[in-house]
Amino acid sequence: MNNKGRKALTLFDDYYEMLSDSVRMKAYRKAIFETVKKGDIVIDMGAGLGILTFFALAAGASKVYAIEMRDSIHLARRIAEKNGLSSKIVFLNENSRNVTLPEKADVLISETLGSFAIEENTIEYTIDARERLLKEGGRMIPEKLKMFLAPVEVPHIRKKMERWKDVYGVDFSPALDDMTRKMLVEEIRTEDFLAEPDVYMEIDLSTITTPSIAETVVFKALRAGTLHGFSGWFAATLSPSVTIDTSPRSPKTHWAQAFFPVKEPVNVNPSSIMAINMRTRAKEAEGDDTIISYDFMLLPGDNKPTSKPGRNDPCHCGSGKKYKKCCGA
């Protein structure tokens, strides 16, 4: 099979998972019917195969601009023709940042959410579309994002990663090194938690102005165990009455959870204080990747900071450096 064939299979696998995710589909459909009014002009940013576009038309939209930079838009166009919907859809095979419309929209719909919500350059694209393509006071789906983190003990995932150390007698440990600096997608269980989850960031997509985020989250271990990394997930407010929650405590979705491994497992006790400093930024303005970097710290005893240190305060990781030169860098 050639590369084109493999890419096509991957594309269909991805869309099959998304369209089969009843949590995702029912939530977006309900939110769209709540938000889109008769006669509205709608943008579907990252339209994929067009299902959210079709929902918007069913809810009463008079026109939908379906924007998708991948080849899937050609199949979406054929599906629209098959269902007699083509006359109300303008298909744009473009990166949304390069799109100029003859009119501004009443509603901006997007489902560019990854397992940690924002790793598909979500914030960058949303800010641009909101500022250029949406009417002032226009409605957005989703409206808000809340991202969570929790330290986890996941020996089954670590065991899978350790296989890279020896592949039929060849030392593949550089692959393991790369893996422990990147976000993985895994299914995390509540029993894997070493501490109660905490909020990493809350984002109001109608007001946020910068795509970059930097924040430190500190946890106190609830039990003894081995820290293998941090799990991340999100809750997305799609409309006033509709929220998608991808927590391990919620029904499963195709997003599963994000997993940020530490390079070497660390033993912790119930008194252990763990901290993760995470930074996110767009890899490039017109790409759909977000760079997520993070540092892990194990702090001694019950000295959990009551607030984030100032730029010139000693860093709470115990390095002896100023916060701005260490975890706040």
Side-chain angles (χ1 to χ4, degrees):
M1 184 183 293
N2 59 28
N3 286 336
K4 187 173 182 180
R6 277 190 287 270
K7 287 179 181 178
L9 281 178
T10 300
L11 177 70
F12 277 101
D13 286 345
D14 288 346
Y15 283 122
Y16 180 82
E17 282 192 14
M18 288 188 283
L19 294 174
S20 300
D21 183 343
S22 62
V23 173
R24 171 189 185 267
M25 298 301 296
K26 290 177 181 178
Y28 263 90
R29 189 178 188 279
K30 183 177 180 182
I32 287 170
F33 272 78
E34 255 187 30
T35 305
V36 174
K37 310 301 180 188
K38 186 175 181 181
D40 277 349
I41 304 297
V42 175
I43 293 169
D44 182 3
M45 183 175 66
L49 295 181
I51 187 64
L52 304 186
T53 289
F54 307 144
F55 285 169
L57 290 175
S62 60
K63 182 189 296 183
V64 180
Y65 291 96
I67 306 171
E68 174 57 61
M69 62 182 174
R70 293 182 175 83
D71 289 344
S72 57
I73 194 167
H74 304 305
L75 180 53
R77 184 182 286 112
R78 287 164 50 202
I79 294 169
E81 291 170 355
K82 184 72 173 177
N83 287 273
L85 300 172
S86 297
S87 63
K88 293 184 177 182
I89 307 171
V90 178
F91 290 98
L92 297 166
N93 190 192
E94 276 282 3
N95 184 304
S96 64
R97 293 177 61 87
N98 299 328
V99 167
T100 301
L101 300 180
E103 58 192 331
K104 290 200 172 184
D106 301 286
V107 182
L108 171 63
I109 301 171
S110 67
E111 202 284 74
T112 56
L113 300 172
S115 296
F116 198 49
I118 62 169
E119 70 267 21
E120 296 182 13
N121 215 350
T122 304
I123 301 177
E124 181 91 11
Y125 283 131
T126 301
I127 292 172
D128 175 72
R130 183 193 73 204
E131 295 301 308
R132 295 191 306 108
L133 307 177
L134 187 65
K135 291 177 181 178
E136 186 174 352
R139 287 152 272 149
M140 301 174 67
I141 303 174
E143 301 173 343
K144 296 178 181 179
L145 301 173
K146 185 184 287 189
M147 300 149 67
F148 298 84
L149 288 167
V152 291
E153 180 177 35
V154 284
H156 58 292
I157 298 175
R158 184 68 196 189
K159 183 178 181 181
K160 183 169 62 175
M161 295 170 62
E162 293 280 351
R163 290 176 187 160
W164 288 102
K165 286 186 175 180
D166 185 335
V167 180
Y168 289 91
V170 179
D171 185 352
F172 266 67
S173 57
L176 178 60
D177 291 342
D178 280 355
M179 192 177 293
T180 55
R181 291 195 294 266
K182 295 179 180 178
M183 189 197 92
L184 308 177
V185 177
E186 299 284 353
E187 287 193 359
I188 304 297
R189 305 164 302 179
T190 54
E191 55 264 37
D192 298 331
F193 292 165
L194 287 168
E196 276 300 312
D198 205 349
V199 176
Y200 167 64
M201 182 63 65
E202 295 187 58
I203 299 170
D204 186 334
L205 293 170
S206 67
T207 59
I208 191 169
T209 57
T210 176
S212 300
I213 302 172
E215 193 58 75
T216 299
V217 186
V218 184
F219 304 90
K220 181 178 179 180
L222 293 174
R223 62 178 177 87
T226 302
L227 176 72
H228 293 116
F230 293 81
S231 178
W233 59 90
F234 68 90
T237 302
L238 304 186
S239 65
S241 74
V242 183
T243 298
I244 290 176
D245 185 348
T246 64
S247 163
R249 290 170 171 157
S250 299
K252 288 184 180 181
T253 70
H254 79 282
W255 285 286
Q257 286 78 41
F259 176 60
F260 305 97
V262 297
K263 187 169 184 179
E264 295 294 338
V266 179
N267 291 329
V268 298
N269 298 308
S271 62
S272 296
I273 305 298
M274 300 160 285
I276 181 170
N277 175 258
M278 183 174 286
R279 289 88 57 198
T280 70
R281 62 180 177 85
K283 186 174 182 179
E284 54 188 33
E286 295 191 3
D288 60 356
D289 289 318
T290 300
I291 294 175
I292 301 178
S293 55
Y294 57 97
D295 298 303
F296 156 70
M297 297 142 278
L298 183 64
L299 311 180
D302 288 322
N303 59 341
K304 181 174 180 179
T306 56
S307 62
K308 183 177 176 180
R311 299 278 291 162
N312 292 309
D313 291 342
C315 189
H316 51 53
C317 72
S319 66
K321 299 178 183 179
K322 291 182 178 180
Y323 178 73
K324 68 181 179 182
K325 295 288 188 180
C326 190
C327 298

